[in-house]
Amino acid sequence: MKKFFPWMLLFLVMAGLIGRIVVLQIHPDDRVLERLGTQNNRLGRTCSTRGPILDRRGEPLAISVPTASLYIDPQEWNTDSVGKLSEWVSKEKATILSSLKKGRFYWLLRQMEDEKAKKILDMGLDGLHVLQENKRVYPNENLLSHVLGYCDIDGIGLAGLELIWNDVLYTPSGWTMKTRSQRDFDLMNPEGKVFLTVDRRIQYILEKRLSDISAKEKVKWGAALCLESDTGRVVGMASWPSFNANKRTTINDENMTNNCIGRVYEPGSTLKPIIVAMALKSRLVGKNSWFVDNGRIKVADGWISNSHGRGRGKIDLSDVLIYSSNVGMAQIGIKLNPYEAYRDLGAWGFGKKSGVELNGEENGLLLPPERWYGVIPANVAIGQGIAVTPIQLITAFNAIINGGKLLLPHIVDRVEDGEGKSIYRSQTVVLRDLLPPDYVDWFRKTLRRVIVEGTGKKADCQEVKIGGKTGTAQVATKGEYSKERMVASFIGFWPYDSPEYTLLVVLGEPGQGRYYGGDIAAPVFKAIVEDIERLNSGG
């Protein structure tokens, strides 16, 4: 008997447990019944989801919102019901519906307005079902459209940051066992987030001012780009013409280019401070060098003239920039060693992509030194014979006034995965130290004088003291410069003695007869600065 006692004890324990399980299955606890009444598992189709893109303050720039989509189960569908849908579907789709019998799933209408979807559902047609989808929406419409890009109807990124970070933002649809309850209709997979360095408010200012002047002066293209001077972070990047990704009909080949990174143009006089900086560092000129400006100068096989045709006589290096003397710059250009100048321009970031976290960036055009013959060195010195993108120009110019440092530009601040873990975070990167502090101080003061005494007077404003440089360049057509096609620009910074922002405005081929940078680009620069200062002061 003692031999079988342990086994009997085990049997009694097991019998007790089994009996308890049976009782719980037949007569479960009331609390369990209540929980089960609000929750069940089912096999269902999950809709794709997409994480948001946010500005530096957490304001939404691109989000996904729930929307109703209708589908038909062909096995339940009555083809005689086609006529009732005639006002909602095209003739082609009606033809398909009239013979739809195979399969279990066919899209009828996707991502509809709730009111429209309700009217169709209220018909009570057999085989007609509703499915929640997420629609990509850009709440600010045109704002930052070239940077954000857009998605297809399934939520897959096709352009801009939507494409670049698609793997982080996008969670595809599929079939899975889902939990459904009163509190939580669908448990979705978490998606990532992209935070930008852009300030939505500053972006709006740039786009509004650029759009207004572009329409007024009938320009073919425009760009406005604003950086934090000491970090290289982009706080605003505007390109005109733009598009509204909420309305696909507004997207075409003419407005898809992000002019800030994908437009290559000759910068004209806005390049002059950089050429002067190269010449100073190479000791080809000094801060006290003098030049004779008679309004026109013969260089090898060509002539270089001042834009207004007037000479200013004996001028110093500061005057060359203040009055934008092409003749003075040509005298600096002919001193350039082609091979050293080509190397130095590359060190300043020209002829290659800037490295900003965007696709579609161009390299610009920098002729190899073997082709720097005749008048070409003088042309390069006045900003012609070299082609740049706005992001290249503002990054190089920024180095002149921020302490001599060429900074890697950033437009993406950080990227988080679905669990909130950081998978990318930008940081200030100094690519090269280009100028010593004493040159930087000289440039700040000289470029301030451009505003007070020189060609940039229309950029001067009351709110803050700025420094900058005007630019006017002809557009080359079939190897020759056109007198009808011009590019007007202004680049500057503020406050001039301790820069916080660096801003570039470029107006491509204005069509109303005005084309000097000091006349049409400088006032836009001024308006943007005033708007930003009022914003920052809370006014």
Side-chain angles (χ1 to χ4, degrees):
M1 187 66 180
K2 292 182 179 180
K3 180 178 180 181
F4 295 101
F5 180 77
W7 293 103
M8 291 176 64
L9 183 61
L10 178 61
F11 172 79
L12 291 173
V13 172
M14 292 298 296
L17 289 174
I18 293 172
R20 181 58 178 164
I21 291 172
V22 172
V23 170
L24 289 174
Q25 290 294 319
I26 298 174
H27 302 289
D29 189 283
D30 290 342
R31 292 170 296 177
V32 175
L33 288 175
E34 183 180 356
R35 180 68 60 85
L36 290 174
T38 61
Q39 178 176 294
N40 61 78
N41 292 328
R42 63 185 176 84
L43 182 66
R45 189 178 192 274
T46 62
C47 59
S48 62
T49 61
R50 193 169 185 87
I53 301 177
L54 310 165
D55 84 339
R56 68 192 306 163
R57 301 168 60 245
E59 298 277 349
L61 300 171
I63 57 175
S64 293
V65 298
T67 185
S69 292
L70 301 181
Y71 72 94
I72 287 174
D73 184 341
Q75 299 300 311
E76 302 172 357
W77 175 243
N78 185 344
T79 55
D80 293 337
S81 301
V82 174
K84 297 180 180 180
L85 294 173
S86 59
E87 67 173 297
W88 306 104
V89 300
S90 65
K91 292 181 178 180
E92 292 78 9
K93 181 156 286 190
T95 301
I96 295 173
L97 292 174
S98 64
S99 59
L100 192 63
K101 294 180 179 179
K102 296 181 179 180
R104 298 304 306 267
F105 189 95
Y106 177 76
W107 282 119
L108 179 65
L109 295 166
R110 300 184 65 181
Q111 299 181 1
M112 307 168 59
E113 296 178 0
D114 290 345
E115 184 178 348
K116 181 178 177 181
K118 185 177 184 303
K119 287 182 179 180
I120 299 175
L121 286 170
D122 285 346
M123 295 180 187
L125 303 179
D126 292 337
L128 179 63
H129 302 280
V130 63
L131 179 69
Q132 177 183 301
E133 284 198 285
N134 288 306
K135 180 180 181 181
R136 199 59 164 175
V137 172
Y138 303 90
N140 304 291
E141 298 187 334
N142 292 55
L143 197 78
L144 204 65
S145 57
H146 298 91
V147 172
L148 298 174
Y150 56 89
C151 302
D152 66 12
I153 195 169
D154 292 310
I156 299 174
L158 298 180
L161 293 174
E162 296 278 34
L163 172 62
I164 295 171
W165 295 102
N166 188 67
D167 290 345
V168 174
L169 294 170
Y170 178 68
T171 300
S173 61
W175 294 90
T176 186
M177 187 66 70
K178 300 193 295 182
T179 298
R180 182 174 179 174
S181 70
Q182 292 177 349
R183 292 181 303 169
D184 191 2
F185 184 82
D186 285 321
L187 298 179
M188 309 302 299
N189 292 325
E191 62 279 342
K193 298 178 181 179
V194 175
F195 294 83
L196 305 187
T197 62
V198 172
D199 186 319
R200 182 184 62 84
R201 302 167 302 171
I202 293 178
Q203 179 68 24
Y204 174 81
I205 292 170
L206 263 60
E207 293 201 20
K208 181 66 167 62
R209 293 298 184 179
L210 181 63
S211 175
D212 288 349
I213 191 64
S214 296
K216 179 181 178 181
E217 298 294 337
K218 295 183 178 180
V219 307
K220 286 191 175 181
W221 63 272
L225 185 56
C226 187
L227 305 180
E228 284 181 345
S229 303
D230 61 347
T231 67
R233 292 157 64 92
V234 177
V235 295
M237 178 182 283
S239 180
W240 191 91
S242 63
F243 61 88
N244 182 352
N246 295 323
K247 301 176 181 178
R248 292 304 176 86
T249 55
T250 67
I251 302 175
N252 55 57
D253 292 340
E254 294 181 359
N255 61 19
M256 275 294 295
T257 300
N258 182 348
N259 293 320
C260 292
I261 63 170
R263 177 71 63 170
V264 175
Y265 72 105
E266 296 192 1
S269 297
T270 52
L271 187 71
K272 288 176 180 176
I274 296 161
I275 298 296
V276 169
M278 289 168 46
L280 282 169
K281 192 172 182 182
S282 300
R283 301 190 182 281
L284 299 177
V285 297
K287 289 183 285 187
N288 297 317
S289 294
W290 290 86
F291 306 86
V292 176
D293 178 3
N294 293 320
R296 196 166 184 247
I297 186 173
K298 182 77 163 65
V299 179
D301 55 344
W303 287 88
I304 300 291
S305 301
N306 291 338
S307 59
H308 293 282
R310 300 188 301 271
R312 303 195 67 87
K314 188 177 180 181
I315 57 176
D316 65 12
L317 186 61
S318 293
D319 292 332
V320 171
L321 292 178
I322 293 168
Y323 303 107
S324 202
S325 170
N326 287 342
V327 173
M329 289 301 302
Q331 294 173 59
I332 295 174
I334 60 180
K335 296 181 179 182
L336 298 174
N337 178 292
Y339 290 90
E340 292 179 359
Y342 177 84
R343 177 202 64 200
D344 290 344
L345 284 168
W348 283 79
F350 297 108
K352 53 191 172 185
K353 297 177 181 179
S354 70
V356 69
E357 307 100 331
L358 292 172
N359 52 8
E361 185 177 3
E362 293 289 340
N363 290 316
L365 179 62
L366 182 58
L367 290 176
E370 294 80 9
R371 296 181 60 183
W372 286 44
Y373 49 79
V375 75
I376 289 179
N379 276 339
V380 171
I382 65 172
Q384 296 192 305
I386 178 176
V388 306
T389 62
I391 190 73
Q392 289 175 338
L393 181 64
I394 195 172
T395 302
F397 181 89
N398 190 48
I400 289 175
I401 55 89
N402 73 357
K405 302 180 185 300
L406 185 71
L407 302 176
L408 180 67
H410 289 291
I411 199 167
V412 176
D413 177 43
R414 68 187 187 279
V415 179
E416 297 177 355
D417 65 14
E419 298 178 350
K421 297 179 181 177
S422 178
I423 59 176
Y424 173 82
R425 183 178 291 274
S426 65
Q427 56 185 346
T428 301
V429 177
V430 179
L431 299 174
R432 276 172 290 280
D433 282 307
L434 294 170
L435 282 179
D438 59 329
Y439 286 140
V440 172
D441 184 64
W442 179 85
F443 271 109
R444 289 178 181 176
K445 292 177 180 178
T446 298
L447 294 172
R448 171 61 185 161
R449 292 177 63 194
V450 171
I451 308 301
V452 177
E453 307 170 32
T455 58
K457 291 179 181 178
K458 291 184 179 181
D460 202 12
C461 62
Q462 297 291 326
E463 283 77 3
V464 64
K465 294 180 179 179
I466 67 173
K469 184 70 189 75
T470 56
T472 307
Q474 293 175 301
V475 176
T477 305
K478 296 181 180 179
E480 295 185 0
Y481 287 106
S482 170
K483 294 182 179 179
E484 288 75 35
R485 301 176 64 196
M486 311 288 283
V487 176
S489 56
F490 190 94
I491 192 166
F493 55 98
W494 75 96
Y496 89 93
D497 54 350
S498 182
E500 295 179 12
Y501 296 105
T502 305
L503 172 66
L504 170 64
V505 176
V506 189
L507 305 175
E509 301 187 46
Q512 290 291 82
R514 300 196 306 160
Y515 53 79
Y516 284 112
D519 288 336
I520 60 174
V524 180
F525 182 97
K526 172 185 177 179
I528 292 173
V529 172
E530 290 175 339
D531 288 344
I532 293 176
E533 285 302 299
R534 280 193 291 268
L535 175 68
N536 290 339
S537 64

